[in-house]
Amino acid sequence: MKNIKSVLAFALILSFNLHAIPEGAFTTLHVQAKDVDKYIELMKKNTGPFEAIGSDVAGVCVTKTGHQYPGEMFVWNAFPSVEKAFAATDLYDPMNASGSYERMRVVKYSATFKPLKEFNLQPAYERLWRLNLNNPMAYTQKMIELEEAIRSAGHDMNIGVFQPLGGGSEVFHVRAVSPSAGELGRVVDDYFAGGSWSSIWDEAAQYIDNIVSDTIEHCQIIYTK
């Protein structure tokens, strides 16, 4: 039994050293907006909350398909560390917002996410899977391979894997980002046509216990420090 535990411990260490986990973290504030476009314009003109929490970059993701409710979207903030992301929760409380913010949204919940692989922050059209993973690091390694293979096949795509921290019932987020909705669909067409990279996606399925949700979002940056 002792030898088995040693082997398992060594295997776990190896899995975490397959790639370097990047620095940084993201916070998300999930809301139901009464008017999505007006709410986004309000945030663009009133950057005080982003400045107050020390956000490096902030943006929004609006759910386009797979909604759980009308006006589903979230506001995200990028920080250089988990320390800064956690500290931000003491600097601004969205639950106590008043005025226009209170009238234009219903706050659902907030969370913090840690990227498990390098991720180019180029928000656009994004397919988001919420997943329960049985081996997050092995899955992340597959996504690193997949991203490289998809790009080699001629697609402009960024893939991110994010672990929730203090996220309540949130699970791992996996994002596939393309510059347009059509390009996002072109990648899917390539998969069903037996694209050279499709086997990597299929192999990664062994690390997924279940898919909690599958949505398409339109994301954009609305604030930069």
Side-chain angles (χ1 to χ4, degrees), residues 67-187:
H67 306 73
Q68 297 183 59
Y69 48 83
E72 181 178 358
M73 62 177 291
F74 68 85
V75 184
W76 54 265
N77 288 274
F79 296 91
S81 65
V82 175
E83 176 186 1
K84 295 290 186 182
F86 278 4
T89 61
D90 273 341
L91 300 176
Y92 175 73
D93 184 358
M95 301 295 184
N96 291 327
S98 58
S100 298
Y101 281 106
E102 183 181 29
R103 292 192 297 271
M104 297 192 71
R105 72 185 185 192
V106 176
V107 175
K108 297 293 187 177
Y109 66 94
S110 60
T112 301
F113 289 88
K114 174 67 182 175
L116 297 184
K117 64 176 289 294
E118 292 293 342
F119 178 66
N120 292 333
L121 188 56
Q122 297 174 328
Y125 287 86
E126 314 191 5
R127 189 170 178 184
L128 166 64
W129 293 268
R130 287 179 167 88
L131 305 175
N132 283 312
L133 300 176
N134 56 56
N135 191 331
M137 302 314 294
Y139 181 84
T140 300
Q141 183 63 34
K142 279 295 179 185
M143 291 302 100
I144 293 172
E145 296 173 21
L146 179 68
E147 182 180 68
E148 181 179 353
I150 287 177
R151 290 174 178 174
S152 295
H155 299 291
D156 183 1
M157 174 168 279
N158 297 317
I159 297 176
V161 182
F162 304 90
Q163 177 177 332
L165 304 170
S169 60
E170 270 289 14
V171 294
F172 287 87
H173 282 200
V174 177
R175 291 187 168 274
V177 185
S178 294
S180 70
E183 173 58 22
L184 190 63
R186 192 164 77 90
V187 176

Side-chain angles (χ1 to χ4, degrees), residues 8-75:
L8 290 174
F10 182 65
L12 184 60
I13 291 171
L14 284 178
S15 71
F16 272 83
N17 286 324
L18 285 172
H19 68 278
I21 296 177
E23 297 179 349
F26 293 85
T27 61
T28 60
L29 177 67
H30 300 257
V31 305
Q32 180 173 14
K34 296 177 182 178
D35 186 315
V36 170
D37 293 334
K38 287 184 178 179
Y39 179 47
I40 293 173
E41 285 305 310
L42 174 66
M43 289 187 288
K44 287 180 178 179
K45 295 175 181 177
N46 297 274
T47 59
F50 304 129
E51 296 166 4
I53 64 175
S55 175
D56 284 347
V57 184
V60 295
C61 288
V62 179
T63 304
K64 306 297 286 186
T65 69
H67 306 73
Q68 297 183 59
Y69 48 83
E72 181 178 358
M73 62 177 291
F74 68 85
V75 184

Side-chain angles (χ1 to χ4, degrees), residues 1-8:
M1 179 62 72
K2 185 177 181 180
N3 288 337
I4 292 174
K5 288 182 178 179
S6 297
V7 170
L8 290 174

